[in-house]
């Protein structure tokens, strides 16, 4: 009896040996998968279970830290970069991209061969051969050849044959949710999955890359990354406002409209045919705003801190509800049978292949509203008389008014008539006692006669307002001061790109916190833009008798 038990045990042990000897995909591709992981997920279209056997003879398995990794590629290590367009709304398509980064001085040519770059110095001795690996010719590594060979080695790790004719040079094995997908490719490949059967939450995608080596394959890179599937619509909100100085502190100006723009992250265009609505609550007791547009302007009229809430709703394709059986029909008598062929389902419950479900996205933010500079205007330009002999520079005074808060700084940028080539930038603190009235004189020097573009900004901690004009400086002759008395004030409507360049240069030279000025509400995520504010020419004021000019009676000191 004891002998029989030992014999049976030996048979059982022998029967189990092949199972332990053969590796499976989950043994090779992941060491941290919990037991029964695949049973928690539905089948991905075109993917296979990682319970399948892995051909370790053709595709050797190296653990992390194995010394063989150092020699897996000529000239160094290959890095694989894995990205995706996650997060993905459940039911949409999620795309993964893998890009191979070769050692320095190596690249893939138009034919897919790996070659040395010309005129590139590597740390190692340059190879006399043009190729690192030539996939399109017979090489010393074996008959990788031109794809005409289709032997037992032209198969994937699970034994499935390569597409014929074989076109690409690397074998990529993707692994997630207890399933794998095999693909041939060049130095970059993409793979897409439909997320309808993917559990909501973070998941891991792993990729292993092999290259051909004689009659087998060599692993050259492994990479993994986290992706997210969500049942909420992924949304981002950008906030922008004219004259707002800082686009990152979520502080905005009172009495100026804020533009709110909603960006829905939908790279697979899953929501293209959906009806989308936007419900806004700005937290200032103005009520609920419902819109079908992804942009909306709102103006806060009080200072303070407000909680902003947005709900986005979309009807998307979804599973149809299971029909419920109708209660059995009651008959008034035995002589009133139910007609043959009566449908046990209510007509309104018959499944429709075009069923939809509602998905929602949410956004909240806390914003601060403060007083700022709302508008700036140049109302007068006058030439400053200079004693003879006249210096090279011509001095001009600009009388400036503004609305809103009192500025703490004034900056000017003088450039060519096209507002592109900067000639001079000056910034001064506004330390004069303006009181409640924003009126100041800015004096600037111009080098010689001609036409100049002048950009003037008034700023404080929260705002930065701009105006621009063209200034004409006549030549030096006896009639110079007379012509300056008849001064030139031209309103400018320069192109947006011109002012972006000009104001960016101006504010960068003075303070890094100055932001580029645009001729629209600039867009930045959770940010604020700065708008180019152009003024129209107003009635000229000239210094014939300044004491009679009511605007200049309270004129402060000259900056």
């Amino acid at each position: 009896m004891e002998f029989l038990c030992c014999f049976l045990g030996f048979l059982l042990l022998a029967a189990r040996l092949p199972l332990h000897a053969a590796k499976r995909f989950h043994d090779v591709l992941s060491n941290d998968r919990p037991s029964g992981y695949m049973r928690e997920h539905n089948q991905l279209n075109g993917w296979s279970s990682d319970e399948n056997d892995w051909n370790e003879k053709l595709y050797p398995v190296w653990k992390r830290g194995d010394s063989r990794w150092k020699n897996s590629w000529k000239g160094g290590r290959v890095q694989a970069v894995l990205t995706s367009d996650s997060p993905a709304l459940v039911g949409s398509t999620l795309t993964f991209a893998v890009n191979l980064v070769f050692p320095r001085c190596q690249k893939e040519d138009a034919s897919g061969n790996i070659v040395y770059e010309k005129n590139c110095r590597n740390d190692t001795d340059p190879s006399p051969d043009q190729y690192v690996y030539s996939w399109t010719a017979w090489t010393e590594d074996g008959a990788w050849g031109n794809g005409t060979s289709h032997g037992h080695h032209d198969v994937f790790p699970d034994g499935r044959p390569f597409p014929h004719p074989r076109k690409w040079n690397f074998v990529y094995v993707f692994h997630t949710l207890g399933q794998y997908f095999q693909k041939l490719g060049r130095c970059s490949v993409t793979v897409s999955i439909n997320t309808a059967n993917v559990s909501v939450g973070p998941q891991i995608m792993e990729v292993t890359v092999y290259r051909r080596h004689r009659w087998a394959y060599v692993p050259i890179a492994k990479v993994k990354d986290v992706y997210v599937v969500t049942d909420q619509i992924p949304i981002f909100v950008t906030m922008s406002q004219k004259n707002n100085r800082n686009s990152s502190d979520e502080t905005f100006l009172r009495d100026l409209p804020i533009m709110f723009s909603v960006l829905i992250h939908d790279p697979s265009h899953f929501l293209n045919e959906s009806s989308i609505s936007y419900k806004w609550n700005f937290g200032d007791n103005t009520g609920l705003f419902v819109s079908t547009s992804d942009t909306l302007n709102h103006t806060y009229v009080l200072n303070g801190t407000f909680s902003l809430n947005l709900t986005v709703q979309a009807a998307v394709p979804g599973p149809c509800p299971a029909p419920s059986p109708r209660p059995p029909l009651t008959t008034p008598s035995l002589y009133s049978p139910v007609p043959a062929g009566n449908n046990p389902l209510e007509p309104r419950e018959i499944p429709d292949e075009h069923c939809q479900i509602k998905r929602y996205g949410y956004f909240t933010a806390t914003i601060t509203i403060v007083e700022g500079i709302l508008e700036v205007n140049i109302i007068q330009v006058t030439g400053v008389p200079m004693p003879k002999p006249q210096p090279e520079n011509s001095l001009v005074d600009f009388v400036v008014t503004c609305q809103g808060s009192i500025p703490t700084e004034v900056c000017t940028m003088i450039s060519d008539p096209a507002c592109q080539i900067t000639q001079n930038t000056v910034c001064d603190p506004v330390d004069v006692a303006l009181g409640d009235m924003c009126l100041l004189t800015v004096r600037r020097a111009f080098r010689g006669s001609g036409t100049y573009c002048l950009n003037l900004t008034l700023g404080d901690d929260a705002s930065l307002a701009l105006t621009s004009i063209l200034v004409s400086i006549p030549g030096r002759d006896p009639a110079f001061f007379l012509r300056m008395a008849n001064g030139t004030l031209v309103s400018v409507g320069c192109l947006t790109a011109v002012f972006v360049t000009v104001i960016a240069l101006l504010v960068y030279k003075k303070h890094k916190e100055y932001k580029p000025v645009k001729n629209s509400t600039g867009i930045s995520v959770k940010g604020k833009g700065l708008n180019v504010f152009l003024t129209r020419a107003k009635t000229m004021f000239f210094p014939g008798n300044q004491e009679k000019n009511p605007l200049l009676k309270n004129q402060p000191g000259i900056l």
Side-chain angles (χ1 to χ4, degrees):
M1 185 65 180
E2 181 179 355
F3 173 77
L4 180 62
C5 291
C6 292
F7 180 73
L8 292 175
F10 174 78
L11 290 179
L12 291 175
L13 179 63
R16 293 183 61 186
L17 283 177
L19 294 177
H20 288 291
K23 286 187 179 295
R24 299 182 180 182
F25 271 74
H26 66 74
D27 298 323
V28 174
L29 300 177
S30 178
N31 295 322
D32 54 1
R33 188 195 69 163
S35 176
Y37 183 73
M38 180 175 177
R39 290 192 296 269
E40 301 174 4
H41 303 275
N42 295 322
Q43 179 70 33
L44 297 175
N45 186 28
W47 290 56
S48 304
S49 168
D50 64 3
E51 297 291 337
N52 292 344
D53 290 342
W54 175 281
N55 188 340
E56 191 176 6
K57 182 178 181 180
L58 279 180
Y59 293 85
V61 179
W62 299 343
K63 294 182 178 180
R64 187 183 303 272
D66 194 309
S67 60
R68 289 174 291 182
W69 282 105
K70 297 179 180 179
N71 300 317
S72 64
W73 189 269
K74 293 179 183 179
R77 287 290 304 272
V78 175
Q79 299 293 328
V81 179
L82 173 62
T83 58
S84 73
D85 50 21
S86 166
L89 182 63
V90 62
S92 68
T93 299
L94 179 60
T95 299
F96 300 88
V98 180
N99 292 278
L100 299 182
V101 181
F102 301 114
R104 188 172 181 272
C105 298
Q106 298 182 15
K107 68 176 183 178
E108 186 179 60
D109 66 9
S111 300
N113 299 311
I114 310 303
V115 299
Y116 291 102
E117 295 186 43
K118 295 181 179 179
N119 304 321
C120 180
R121 296 176 62 92
N122 203 342
D123 295 336
T124 60
D125 294 334
S127 171
D129 190 1
Q130 174 188 359
Y131 295 98
V132 183
Y133 295 102
S134 177
W135 313 114
T136 57
W138 290 74
T139 70
E140 62 181 1
D141 286 341
W144 185 244
N146 56 11
T148 58
S149 174
H150 200 68
H152 67 280
H153 54 278
D154 287 338
V155 295
F156 287 109
D158 64 356
R160 297 180 188 179
F162 289 162
H164 186 71
R166 181 197 54 76
K167 295 181 179 181
W168 312 126
N169 316 309
F170 298 100
V171 178
Y172 295 82
V173 183
F174 292 78
H175 180 238
T176 189
L177 305 176
Q179 302 164 67
Y180 69 89
F181 183 83
Q182 307 164 126
K183 186 173 185 177
L184 290 177
R186 294 181 57 167
C187 65
S188 63
V189 297
T190 60
V191 167
S192 298
I193 62 173
N194 186 277
T195 60
N197 293 332
V198 179
S199 299
V200 171
Q203 310 292 349
I204 295 178
M205 174 66 76
E206 301 170 287
V207 183
T208 304
V209 188
Y210 282 79
R211 70 166 177 88
R212 182 62 180 265
H213 178 67
R214 295 186 175 92
W215 301 103
Y217 300 85
V218 174
I220 61 172
K222 297 185 71 172
V223 64
K224 62 182 178 180
D225 194 19
V226 175
Y227 64 96
V228 176
V229 176
T230 176
D231 57 0
Q232 294 186 4
I233 302 172
I235 62 175
F236 305 90
V237 176
T238 67
M239 297 176 282
S240 56
Q241 185 184 46
K242 183 187 75 171
N243 293 358
N244 189 48
R245 184 165 192 165
N246 194 332
S247 62
S248 62
D249 63 355
E250 297 187 358
T251 298
F252 297 90
L253 308 181
R254 189 186 71 190
D255 296 327
L256 282 180
I258 305 172
M259 175 181 286
F260 297 88
S261 298
V262 184
L263 306 176
I264 296 179
H265 181 72
D266 184 29
S268 66
H269 309 293
F270 180 61
L271 300 177
N272 271 14
E273 304 300 323
S274 300
S275 176
I276 303 176
S277 63
Y278 305 84
K279 299 179 180 179
W280 298 88
N281 187 337
F282 294 101
D284 57 353
N285 297 322
T286 54
L288 184 67
F289 295 84
V290 180
S291 172
T292 57
S293 173
D294 57 4
T295 61
L296 185 69
N297 290 338
H298 184 74
T299 301
Y300 287 88
V301 297
L302 296 174
N303 293 348
T305 301
F306 302 91
S307 296
L308 166 71
N309 291 276
L310 167 66
T311 300
V312 178
Q313 175 183 295
V316 300
C320 296
S324 57
R326 192 180 68 175
L329 297 176
T330 58
T331 56
S333 67
L334 297 176
Y335 302 99
S336 300
V338 177
N342 182 67
N343 193 339
L345 302 180
E346 292 285 353
R348 58 182 175 84
E349 294 179 341
I350 295 178
D352 183 356
E353 60 181 4
H354 301 294
C355 293
Q356 292 184 327
I357 59 176
K358 291 182 179 180
R359 296 292 185 190
Y360 298 90
Y362 305 95
F363 172 81
T364 61
T366 300
I367 61 177
T368 302
I369 304 299
V370 298
E371 188 176 6
I373 304 171
L374 306 181
E375 183 179 352
V376 57
N377 291 285
I378 298 175
I379 62 172
Q380 181 174 326
V381 179
T382 59
V384 179
M386 301 293 293
K388 294 183 180 181
Q390 297 180 13
E392 293 184 2
N393 292 342
S394 299
L395 297 181
V396 179
D397 283 348
F398 301 89
V399 179
V400 181
T401 65
C402 66
Q403 297 180 13
S405 61
I406 301 300
T408 59
E409 187 176 48
V410 56
C411 290
T412 58
M413 176 184 291
I414 299 174
S415 56
D416 68 314
C419 304
Q420 293 183 344
I421 302 175
T422 303
Q423 300 178 5
N424 185 32
T425 301
V426 178
C427 289
D428 294 306
V430 179
D431 54 2
V432 294
L434 295 182
D436 295 333
M437 184 177 183
C438 179
L439 177 66
L440 63 154
T441 300
V442 179
R443 177 171 293 177
R444 290 295 181 257
F446 293 83
R447 298 176 181 176
S449 61
T451 301
Y452 299 86
C453 171
L454 182 128
N455 294 276
L456 185 145
T457 59
L458 298 181
D460 60 12
D461 291 339
S463 57
L464 191 68
L466 167 76
T467 186
S468 301
I469 65 169
L470 289 178
V471 180
S472 179
I473 304 297
R476 297 187 184 90
D477 55 49
F480 168 70
F481 297 114
L482 176 61
R483 287 200 296 270
M484 282 303 300
N486 292 325
T488 303
L489 178 61
V490 183
S491 176
V492 181
C494 293
L495 296 176
T496 301
V498 172
F499 277 115
V500 169
T501 304
V502 171
I503 196 61
L505 290 173
L506 168 63
V507 298
Y508 179 79
K509 289 185 178 181
K510 177 59 183 178
H511 290 296
K512 288 186 178 180
E513 63 266 27
Y514 272 83
K515 300 301 177 183
V517 175
K518 302 179 182 179
N519 198 19
S520 63
T521 53
I523 295 178
S524 59
V525 174
K526 283 192 175 182
K528 289 72 81 173
L530 190 63
N531 197 22
V532 174
F533 190 76
L534 304 176
T535 62
R536 293 181 176 271
K538 297 193 175 182
T539 305
M540 300 294 182
F541 297 92
F542 301 106
N545 185 355
Q546 293 191 7
E547 294 182 356
K548 295 182 179 180
N549 191 332
L551 283 176
L552 300 182
K553 286 184 178 180
N554 297 323
Q555 181 173 347
I558 297 176
L559 299 178

